[in-house]
Amino acid sequence: MTNKRIEIDYQEFGSVQELEPQDRELCEAAEKALAGSYAPYSNFNVGAAVRLSDGSIVTGANQENSAYPSGLCAERTAMFAAHANHPDLQMRSIAITGAQNGLLNSGITAPCGACRQVILEMEDRYQRPVRILLYGENGTYCFDSIKDLLPFCFVDSNMKE
Ligand code: THU
């Protein structure tokens, strides 16, 4: 038996002003998307913004339902809308933010496991890493690929080995 360790690299920015203008714009788009969140059951609002390879931005927000599993997270709302409308454009990055009672969360909002798996599919489908920006009032974390957040991941090729 051998003990193994996994380490990941990511960047932490103290304020959104420290980000590159394009990334700041994406975080601000995710924040604006919070206005479309429908979350009467959790009162937890999530906004997401996807940057596509032509520079355009597609946003989404969480959509809840009285039959709870019928709802959808902000990230998948944004990603599915982006690729349903622009299947030929690659997804380059995604910004995610959360809010409660009208106030942006101070800490980051990290994507759930299902959303991580869908981001992974985008990387696999378009053969390009997707940068992930987790934007909170007190700081933003930036990851270069979903694989940093999803080690030992399952992709299509696993079924062909
Ligand atoms: N939520 C998202 O929109 N994205 C995530 O990655 C985590 C959770 C939403 C789902 C639900 O509407 C609310 O947050 C509480 O779980």
Side-chain angles (χ1 to χ4, degrees):
M1 191 274 277
T2 320
N3 285 316
K4 308 269 189 184
R5 175 188 290 271
I6 298 174
E7 288 183 1
I8 60 166
D9 290 316
Y10 67 98
Q11 297 167 303
E12 182 175 357
F13 297 87
S15 107
V16 78
Q17 305 306 325
E18 287 179 25
L19 293 165
E20 294 292 321
Q22 283 246 319
D23 287 343
R24 193 187 319 149
E25 183 191 30
L26 200 63
C27 288
E28 286 165 359
E31 185 174 358
K32 280 200 194 102
L34 288 166
S37 165
Y38 175 66
Y41 304 105
S42 71
N43 292 310
F44 190 80
N45 304 113
V46 184
V50 167
R51 172 87 66 189
L52 295 171
S53 47
D54 69 346
S56 62
I57 293 175
V58 178
T59 61
N62 56 330
Q63 303 297 314
E64 297 187 350
N65 193 280
S66 56
Y68 288 8
S70 304
L72 195 63
C73 291
E75 299 90 319
R76 277 176 286 162
T77 305
M79 286 187 280
F80 292 157
H83 291 292
N85 289 293
H86 310 283
D88 297 331
L89 298 180
Q90 300 158 349
M91 174 172 161
R92 292 280 163 86
S93 46
I94 183 169
I96 304 161
T97 195
Q100 286 168 94
N101 304 314
L103 287 178
L104 203 67
N105 288 337
S106 53
I108 57 153
T109 298
C112 76
C115 290
R116 291 179 199 210
Q117 186 69 29
V118 173
I119 299 170
L120 176 68
E121 187 83 13
M122 298 303 171
E123 289 197 352
D124 203 43
R125 178 173 168 184
Y126 296 99
Q127 288 297 299
R128 265 194 86 103
V130 172
R131 291 174 60 250
I132 297 140
L133 294 150
L134 307 182
Y135 166 41
E137 185 69 48
N138 291 348
T140 299
Y141 294 178
C142 180
F143 302 84
D144 287 335
S145 164
I146 194 61
K147 289 183 180 141
D148 293 325
L149 295 175
L150 202 60
F152 301 108
C153 52
F154 183 80
V155 286
D156 176 52
S157 57
N158 294 127
M159 293 186 284
K160 292 171 182 151
E161 279 172 8

